[in-house]
Amino acid sequence: MSEHTYRQSHHTSTTSAHAARTAEVEAAFLLPHLEPDYRILDIGCGPGSITRGLARYVQDGHVTGIDLSEQVLIQAREGVSTSGSGSNVTFELGNVLDGLNYPDSSFDVVYCNQTLLHIPDPVKTLKEMRRVCKPGGMIAAREADMPFHWYPYNRGLQLWDRYLYSTIFGNEDGREHPMNLPHSKAYRGGSLLHVWAREAGFDPEKMQKGVGSQGYTTRQQRDWFVDTYSKRLENEDTRRRMKDCGASAEESKEMLRGLEAWGRDVDGWMSMLHGELIARV
């Protein structure tokens, strides 16, 4: 997996949303299982907010965050210095599909969040995660199911779903709406976590399968979402990637108008469904 297989930009217009993620939300299903001396590997750590959060729960242990982009790792390391995080967290360049630079059985927990859905071979990834996990340890993952659920579902948001889906998964030329695809292709990520894990050799009887959700329902939440994702839509790199998937200039404008209209609507509502998995080694 090269950096170019990650189809979303590492520009701050994208990573600012990632930096708002916390261990208390994104790893809530994992936190009760942690011990203070655990060694944790966070794959696809991005700007590192979850990584730093996990470090607070293993103060006698250590958390290593890896990503394939040096650009985003700079942001992660800056986050350590500005947040006053402890000395038990480090960030390193790493590519899971090329093979991790760690010996077998190195970590008590190997974790990822919103990472497997961006990787072209999630089964191979899970096998490599298992290799570096200690016997008796845990693989933990949280992945969104796409597309998202909106009300009202205006034309701009329909286009947003289509082209966001296409930039991530490379679905034809972007003209096929994901909701018109068979279920096995339309929904990608969370609902397939346990399937990928079984195909990677994990015992289904040793899996803890769960479901999480995230909603944007209040005016304040909608305002944050619109502000964050409008900047992403206005970013030149995002526009280019959507254009490559078939989005016209007018459709790009319509996506932005639709997002803003949804944000202003008193009935505006959006939810994301997440699959959550702990698989014991």
Side-chain angles (χ1 to χ4, degrees), residues 11-72:
H11 188 272
T12 53
S13 62
T14 296
T15 59
S16 62
H18 300 167
R21 295 169 177 168
T22 67
E24 286 74 20
V25 172
E26 308 295 341
F29 67 103
L30 172 63
L31 296 182
H33 301 278
L34 298 182
E35 298 292 341
D37 62 347
Y38 272 5
R39 290 177 54 83
I40 302 174
L41 179 64
D42 180 9
I43 292 178
C45 64
S49 57
I50 302 172
T51 319
R52 297 193 302 272
L54 289 171
R56 293 194 294 269
Y57 293 87
V58 292
Q59 294 190 6
D60 298 325
H62 191 272
V63 185
T64 302
I66 67 167
D67 205 284
L68 50 72
S69 168
E70 186 61 44
Q71 179 184 359
V72 81

Side-chain angles (χ1 to χ4, degrees), residues 87-274:
S87 59
N88 66 330
V89 57
T90 56
F91 294 98
E92 300 175 354
L93 197 66
N95 188 329
V96 64
L97 284 186
D98 285 348
L100 298 170
N101 191 28
Y102 307 109
D104 295 356
S105 307
S106 294
F107 300 94
D108 299 284
V109 177
V110 185
Y111 167 85
C112 65
N113 177 74
Q114 314 305 340
T115 298
L116 293 173
L117 62 88
H118 294 288
I119 294 178
D121 194 340
V123 174
K124 181 179 178 181
T125 299
L126 285 161
K127 288 179 179 179
E128 181 65 359
M129 292 169 70
R130 179 174 181 165
R131 181 187 69 78
V132 299
C133 190
K134 297 177 181 178
M138 295 173 283
I139 303 299
R142 188 176 198 251
E143 301 286 333
D145 234 17
M146 298 184 70
F148 305 145
H149 300 271
W150 306 83
Y151 185 87
Y153 196 34
N154 62 49
R155 167 70 175 166
L157 294 178
Q158 293 173 38
L159 291 169
W160 162 267
D161 270 351
R162 174 189 298 172
Y163 292 117
L164 178 64
Y165 187 98
S166 299
T167 58
I168 293 174
F169 300 116
N171 175 45
E172 285 88 29
D173 66 348
R175 293 291 169 179
E176 181 70 72
H177 194 284
M179 293 302 290
N180 295 330
L181 296 171
H183 182 275
S184 61
K185 292 184 178 180
Y187 290 95
R188 297 284 295 276
S191 60
L192 296 175
L193 270 178
H194 62 293
V195 179
W196 292 336
R198 178 183 54 75
E199 292 176 352
F202 289 90
D203 183 349
E205 297 301 318
K206 295 182 179 180
M207 293 183 196
Q208 176 183 310
K209 295 175 280 187
V211 177
S213 63
Q214 186 174 8
Y216 296 87
T217 59
T218 69
R219 181 59 189 262
Q220 183 179 13
Q221 291 169 334
R222 294 195 305 273
D223 285 348
W224 179 89
F225 191 93
V226 170
D227 179 66
T228 300
Y229 284 85
S230 292
K231 291 175 181 175
R232 185 183 299 192
L233 281 171
E234 291 167 345
N235 176 259
E236 183 178 346
D237 192 34
T238 300
R239 286 181 177 273
R240 177 183 60 78
R241 290 169 188 268
M242 288 191 170
K243 181 180 179 180
D244 289 345
C245 290
S248 67
E250 179 54 38
E251 285 176 323
S252 293
K253 295 176 182 177
E254 192 169 359
M255 283 185 258
L256 187 58
R257 291 195 298 267
L259 184 63
E260 292 172 344
W262 168 83
R264 293 190 301 268
D265 196 311
V266 68
D267 293 325
W269 183 97
M270 191 271 275
S271 68
M272 303 179 189
L273 186 68
H274 302 273

